[in-house]
Amino acid sequence: MSAMKTRDIKTAEDAKRIVEERGLSHVKVGFFDIDGVMVGKYMQQKKFLSALEDGFAFCDVVLGWDSKDELYDNVQFTGWHTGYPDAPLRIIPDSCREIPFEGDMLLFMAEFEGEAEKICPRGLLRRILERGAKLGYDVSGSLEYEFFMFQETPESVREKGYRNLKSLTPDMMGYSMIRSSVHSELYHELISLSETMDFPIESLHTETGPGVLEAAIAVDDALAAADKGALFKTFVKIWAQRRGLMATFMAKWSPDCPGQSGHVHLSLKDHESGKSAFFDADKPYTMSDVQRHFVAGQQKLMPEFLAMFAPTINSYTRLIPGFWAPTEATWGVENRTTALRVIPGTDKSQRVEYRLGSADANPYLVMAAAIGAGLYGIEQKLEPDEQIKGNAYTVDHPEHQALPQTLWESAQRLKASKPARKLFGDEFVEHFAATREWEEREFRKHITDWELNRYFEII
């Protein structure tokens, strides 16, 4: 019998066989927290094989602290008041992947069960997709990310106070053949990594900015697409650091450079026929009634769901006119100045691009919010506002298209959103909104360079 390949793994029995075939003493298991940060550990083979059948437990503090391991003081799910107990997780057999720089080591993903599943990002997306399935639709998606590369290390950036960092390459050279050819070894390594770890890159090129790249990940069903996006962000950072470099997915790392986006492309298929639910050859822009309602839902709920697309303090420094980031809840056809870009095509390519998200957002939450809002539009048969033709930044917009300007405001809008509670559940909305309020409060404890420069002497 030939040796199993990771992409052949579908069941717990398959997973058991490949681990035993390779004679692994330990297996790597990881999952994603509320901020989209991957956590996990090496698990002894015997324990892993047991966990395949019965699950395993992990301290629920990973759902009760922020991206700096600071404990939330305002969430109900876990905390000192609960004693930070273990929460159950299940291993996802078909998530098996090679880790090319760890010999025969295998990586498996996991997700929370029980009460923790109500706030688990991957679990949330799965529930949204089940909602779509009940409506008769299968959802496909893909993510594309911009990220800056630096000739720095975790030690050097701290020594420099994150100032005067040396970018991988200088100057603004979007789509540069020079840059991608001079550094072709890097590009080839990243492409190879993406193929081996099953988050294949469809296109890779420089973007406008010193050392910035953009990668479009190949389309897949929406849950797998979110897995690919989350793993891509994690392992790009790992790959870069192993090469003595650093990659950042901050929404905006410098006031002198454009921000970094995390766009998502979505399409729906009719489950029975397998045909596009978005494509109608007889309608303007080949845009079906279903796609129109889907876009309308996304547009209507964008201000209420913004915290899921712009989850950090830094996210809001990107949402300014003239830097390729949308500033209102707008839509247009093949218009990159709007928040929603309808892309006409064929039965295979008709889709919508949700352009609001920044690279720092959790892929599972971005997908859940973008799809959930669209399904809500279909359910309610909503109609979009008039599309924007031309420059969306120069158009006077109705008040309801305005987006929250701060993370705190976004958290309040999410908390007050009845559609959010209907789609995502009270437990998730309360928990996530509280984590964003915490993030804002943590920021308020600090004095920025701007404040010192502006007020220290003159006021």
Side-chain angles (χ1 to χ4, degrees), residues 152-219:
E152 302 285 354
T153 67
E155 292 75 27
S156 71
V157 294
R158 286 163 172 80
E159 289 169 1
K160 293 181 177 183
Y162 301 91
R163 295 287 188 270
N164 302 312
L165 304 181
K166 186 176 182 181
S167 58
L168 175 64
T169 55
D171 214 343
M172 307 287 197
M173 296 184 70
Y175 300 102
S176 172
M177 190 60 68
I178 294 174
R179 293 285 185 255
S180 61
S181 299
V182 170
H183 296 277
S184 59
E185 292 85 355
L186 281 177
Y187 285 72
H188 285 285
E189 280 185 21
L190 183 51
I191 290 169
S192 177
L193 175 70
S194 77
E195 293 289 338
T196 301
M197 295 199 70
D198 191 24
F199 42 78
I201 294 173
E202 192 174 79
S203 67
L204 178 65
H205 59 86
T206 61
E207 253 296 350
T208 298
V212 63
L213 303 181
E214 179 174 331
I217 305 169
V219 66

Side-chain angles (χ1 to χ4, degrees), residues 28 68 77-78 90 104 118 122 130 198 225 229-230 275 297 350 388 406 426 439 459:
K28 214 164 196 175
K68 282 288 190 179
F77 173 75
T78 192
R90 57 175 163 262
D104 285 337
K118 295 177 181 178
R122 193 178 193 275
E130 288 167 358
D198 191 24
K275 293 184 177 180
Q350 183 89 15
I388 301 294
T406 67
D426 290 331
E439 195 78 8
I459 293 297

Side-chain angles (χ1 to χ4, degrees), residues 127-296:
R127 292 194 298 277
I128 290 296
L129 296 175
E130 288 167 358
R131 188 185 192 96
K134 289 179 181 177
L135 294 172
Y137 302 115
D138 298 322
V139 187
S140 296
S142 64
L143 289 153
E144 54 186 38
Y145 287 109
E146 295 169 354
F147 56 100
F148 277 83
M149 296 281 292
F150 298 92
Q151 297 183 51
E152 302 285 354
T153 67
E155 292 75 27
S156 71
V157 294
R158 286 163 172 80
E159 289 169 1
K160 293 181 177 183
Y162 301 91
R163 295 287 188 270
N164 302 312
L165 304 181
K166 186 176 182 181
S167 58
L168 175 64
T169 55
D171 214 343
M172 307 287 197
M173 296 184 70
Y175 300 102
S176 172
M177 190 60 68
I178 294 174
R179 293 285 185 255
S180 61
S181 299
V182 170
H183 296 277
S184 59
E185 292 85 355
L186 281 177
Y187 285 72
H188 285 285
E189 280 185 21
L190 183 51
I191 290 169
S192 177
L193 175 70
S194 77
E195 293 289 338
T196 301
M197 295 199 70
D198 191 24
F199 42 78
I201 294 173
E202 192 174 79
S203 67
L204 178 65
H205 59 86
T206 61
E207 253 296 350
T208 298
V212 63
L213 303 181
E214 179 174 331
I217 305 169
V219 66
D220 207 328
D221 71 76
L223 187 58
D227 287 340
K228 293 176 193 299
L231 288 167
F232 172 83
K233 288 179 63 177
T234 302
F235 280 89
V236 163
K237 286 178 273 193
I238 293 169
W239 162 76
Q241 289 189 30
R242 288 176 60 86
R243 273 190 134 271
L245 303 171
M246 288 197 77
T248 183
F249 289 80
M250 279 184 69
K252 196 171 175 70
W253 83 271
S254 167
D256 301 320
C257 297
Q260 301 184 98
S261 65
H263 298 164
V264 56
H265 292 250
L266 295 170
S267 62
L268 263 60
K269 287 184 179 179
D270 180 82
H271 182 72
E272 290 189 4
S273 69
K275 293 184 177 180
S276 171
F278 279 1
F279 177 78
D280 188 333
D282 297 325
K283 294 291 178 71
Y285 314 114
T286 58
M287 186 179 179
S288 70
D289 292 342
V290 170
Q291 187 178 26
R292 194 177 71 253
H293 296 320
F294 190 88
V295 169

Side-chain angles (χ1 to χ4, degrees), residues 18-181:
I18 193 171
V19 169
E20 291 179 335
E21 271 186 3
R22 295 193 177 199
L24 296 176
S25 65
H26 289 76
V27 177
K28 214 164 196 175
V29 176
F31 52 94
F32 290 89
D33 71 7
I34 207 77
D35 283 300
V37 175
M38 193 174 200
V39 297
K41 58 186 176 181
Y42 291 99
M43 190 179 288
Q44 187 185 51
Q45 186 195 107
K46 183 178 179 181
K47 181 175 176 62
F48 174 78
L49 297 181
S50 173
L52 278 171
E53 299 295 336
D54 303 319
F56 67 103
F58 206 100
C59 179
D60 74 2
V61 72
V62 295
L63 296 173
W65 64 21
D66 65 15
S67 58
K68 282 288 190 179
D69 290 7
E70 295 290 338
L71 301 172
Y72 298 129
D73 64 6
N74 62 339
V75 298
Q76 294 302 310
F77 173 75
T78 192
W80 293 120
H81 61 287
T82 66
Y84 294 108
D86 282 348
L89 292 101
R90 57 175 163 262
I91 291 173
I92 305 160
D94 63 3
S95 68
C96 181
R97 283 166 164 85
E98 304 272 1
I99 305 179
F101 42 79
E102 292 196 43
D104 285 337
M105 180 57 61
L106 295 173
L107 170 69
F108 285 84
M109 293 170 58
E111 64 179 1
F112 284 98
E113 295 186 289
E115 287 299 305
E117 188 172 354
K118 295 177 181 178
I119 59 175
C120 172
R122 193 178 193 275
L124 177 67
L125 175 56
R126 188 166 33 73
R127 292 194 298 277
I128 290 296
L129 296 175
E130 288 167 358
R131 188 185 192 96
K134 289 179 181 177
L135 294 172
Y137 302 115
D138 298 322
V139 187
S140 296
S142 64
L143 289 153
E144 54 186 38
Y145 287 109
E146 295 169 354
F147 56 100
F148 277 83
M149 296 281 292
F150 298 92
Q151 297 183 51
E152 302 285 354
T153 67
E155 292 75 27
S156 71
V157 294
R158 286 163 172 80
E159 289 169 1
K160 293 181 177 183
Y162 301 91
R163 295 287 188 270
N164 302 312
L165 304 181
K166 186 176 182 181
S167 58
L168 175 64
T169 55
D171 214 343
M172 307 287 197
M173 296 184 70
Y175 300 102
S176 172
M177 190 60 68
I178 294 174
R179 293 285 185 255
S180 61
S181 299

Side-chain angles (χ1 to χ4, degrees), residues 380-395:
Q380 302 296 318
K381 289 186 165 50
L382 299 180
E383 294 294 335
D385 295 339
E386 186 175 350
Q387 70 157 302
I388 301 294
K389 296 181 179 181
N391 188 352
Y393 298 122
T394 61
V395 175

